[in-house]
Amino acid sequence: MSNVKIIVVTLVKDEAWMLDRFLATCSVFADHIIVSDESTGLDNSLEIYKKYPKVTLHHNSGTPVRGDLRRKFVFDEARKIPCDKRIIIAIDSDEILSANLLHSPEWQTVLAAEPGTLFHLQWVSLWKNCNYYRVEAKYQFGGYNRQIWIDDGISEIPAIGYQEMHMAYNPLHARTHVYLNEIVCLHYQYCNWERMESKHRYYRAHEKADIGKLSDIAIYRIYGHAHSRKIEVKPSLSCWFDGWISRGIDMTSTARDELTHFDISVLRLFESHGADFFLNQDLWKVDWEYLANRAKEAGLLAADFSYVRPKKNIHSKLFHAYMKMALDVKILKSIEKRIFPHGLKY
């Protein structure tokens, strides 16, 4: 089977801080890179794409489209590319495949696999810089949260709960599952700590206002993990980076943005729901008034938008104090589960 196409699909929104690294590495092994972009104009993402001829850009400057619909769109576009076999790699733009794929026998296994095969990659969270990664319990490097799909042309890609914001997917009717142990997916989110916190502020507010399935306690638990005092880290493997570095790809620098689209989205949720609605969420470590003024100067918020900081009451003060104290206390988590037997939906 000679006409094999490797196609990367992804969703992007104001990711210039990572976009060159993502596109440069993908361009080494992929034949096509299909991007659904909803950049707001806060960065130069649209200019960066022009440097990479393998990119097919679908830019939406209008009303944002739901993540699961965007994900289905890029998969449908991938299936329009004529070929005998289609290998689809779906990763976020703050992720890259490790450089050892260039010489690992596992990559040859991927290339030779039959349609209907789903490869699972360990998702490695680089921790604060590229020198370390966060250890995940039970796994060698990280959970098997990213996939490579040898497309059978018919399996659907279902929507996945809150993961509509990410490229994680699980094709229906995969005939064979293969777990890779050398090639990994490197997650750069925690290398840009300020942006990570901005993103998690949005996720907290989005869970509370738009999804509404989780309690304040559950949201605090899910998005507070990065501040645990019990996180274990280990040195990263040089083989994850060396092949990219030898090609002149910058694998270590990190650009910082003062204002992100995540913060603007939170401000819009404040506008629609009122800031008091989010009082029990961990959102209050930044100067929202300053960020609102910056967003208005950029024309990304209405000129008459006015932010009023909510006043904490005794209940909210006790709640925040308890959640910070209970972050790493297992017995308190056990008590919560007894009080709220419905798990994360308490």
Side-chain angles (χ1 to χ4, degrees), residues 215-274:
S215 72
D216 290 340
I217 293 177
I219 295 171
Y220 220 110
R221 287 273 188 230
I222 291 171
Y223 297 107
H225 63 86
H227 299 283
S228 170
R229 294 177 291 275
K230 296 185 177 181
I231 288 173
E232 180 186 356
V233 298
K234 288 184 177 180
S236 299
L237 304 188
S238 61
C239 65
W240 292 343
F241 308 98
D242 288 347
W244 302 137
I245 293 171
S246 67
R247 285 169 167 75
I249 301 172
D250 174 9
M251 301 303 295
T252 55
S253 68
T254 305
R256 305 293 169 89
D257 300 313
E258 188 176 38
L259 179 67
T260 72
H261 72 88
F262 300 113
D263 290 328
I264 295 168
S265 295
V266 174
L267 287 164
R268 287 173 177 159
L269 288 173
F270 288 167
E271 185 176 30
S272 59
H273 291 75

Side-chain angles (χ1 to χ4, degrees), residues 308-335:
V308 179
R309 183 182 178 91
K311 293 182 179 180
K312 289 186 177 181
N313 53 42
I314 187 63
H315 175 270
S316 64
K317 289 179 180 178
L318 289 172
F319 178 83
H320 283 279
Y322 168 77
M323 293 307 301
K324 290 175 183 176
M325 180 269 294
L327 183 62
D328 293 314
V329 182
K330 289 185 178 181
I331 190 170
L332 292 176
K333 292 181 181 180
S334 299
I335 293 172

